[in-house]
Amino acid sequence: MGTKDTITKDYMADNRVFADVFNHMLYKGKNVIDPDTLHPLDTTALAVPYGSGTSEVPVQKFRDEFKSLNVMHDDSRIYLLLGIENQSEAHYAMPVKNMVYDALEYAGQVENSARSHREAKQWPSTSGEYLTGFYKDDQLIPVITTVVYFGSDTWNAPRSLHEMLSVQDPEILSMVPDYRINLFSPAEIKDEELDKLQSNLKEVMLFIKYSKDKRKLQELTSKSPGFRSLELKAARVIDSITGINLRFTETEGSVNMCQAVQEMCDDARAEGRTAGLAEGRTEGLQEQAMLTAQRMLQDPRFSPEDISRFSGLSLEDVLKLQKK
């Protein structure tokens, strides 16, 4: 696992950040999911496809984050299984990756249902129930997976299984079940929608969104109070994803992003001034060498080779001056 993956995974494990993502995706930014109603689950997806006889081979995958949700909404209780996949780069097979995760989870639920019936000695009443152990009145818990894209650009990879297929004939596609990804991408979310986020995910996503626009970053960080004291985990995500090399230590509890951006801009201006001075000095030395060579060419005692060694110009440049 790379540094970016480790840092983003650690950050998204925070229930406040996790709840923010799904309040945006499910409830248009309304604060419906309370972080306290989220409970971590094993991120290992392990399932044995049922009905495969004696040659069963377990399939194992690892999610980034997986939590259960038990919440009241509109006078009804909702129980969901929520997963997040973090991406710092576009993943061109994301629909298949998420489809496998979700399918394994559903297969696991079917297996758990069959196990529960066996343990409770609830015997099947039909051959269909006997075949899978999943009974007529059994129900599955919905699984929702969201891709959180930590890129400043628009997601340019497939967003559905149909986009990945070699055949685009509508008649054929009508028989192929599609699978689309749920995408949380800052470049594709309006600022007013990001402003509804309750955690510091708002600052992280806004910073990433405008990370290539230093003027906008200065304006953003100076106006938003959240940037003046940003939690270290959030600052670490910004630093890792954007590569701006923030100046902070691991002992700090928070980071002043307004100051960090100002320092970054100051450094850029200083580098520009240094480069300009160096360029000016180079041009001045070159001009002086040309004048020296021109004077020496008027004296027959100096050969082109002598002039080149003395002035610092290449022999080719001296010969060009001689022709002029």
Side-chain angles (χ1 to χ4, degrees), residues 44-49 56-62 100-101 104:
T44 304
L46 179 63
V48 179
E56 295 173 342
V57 178
V59 180
Q60 188 176 36
K61 297 289 182 180
F62 295 90
V100 170
Y101 283 144
L104 285 176

Side-chain angles (χ1 to χ4, degrees), residues 11-12 17-26 29 83-87 98 145-151 153 155 159 181-190 193-199 201-202 204-206 208:
Y11 177 65
M12 293 307 302
V17 177
F18 196 99
D20 249 355
V21 171
F22 281 98
N23 275 326
H24 170 81
M25 298 298 293
L26 291 172
I84 281 182
E85 291 303 308
N86 304 312
Q87 289 297 137
N98 283 3
T145 301
T146 292
V147 177
V148 177
Y149 180 45
F150 289 91
D153 54 338
W155 179 270
R159 300 174 186 233
I181 64 172
N182 302 308
L183 183 65
F184 185 98
S185 172
E188 302 176 38
I189 303 175
K190 294 180 180 179
E193 293 300 316
L194 289 174
D195 198 50
K196 294 178 182 178
L197 300 175
Q198 301 294 308
S199 70
L201 182 64
K202 174 173 69 175
V204 170
M205 289 301 169
L206 281 170
I208 291 174

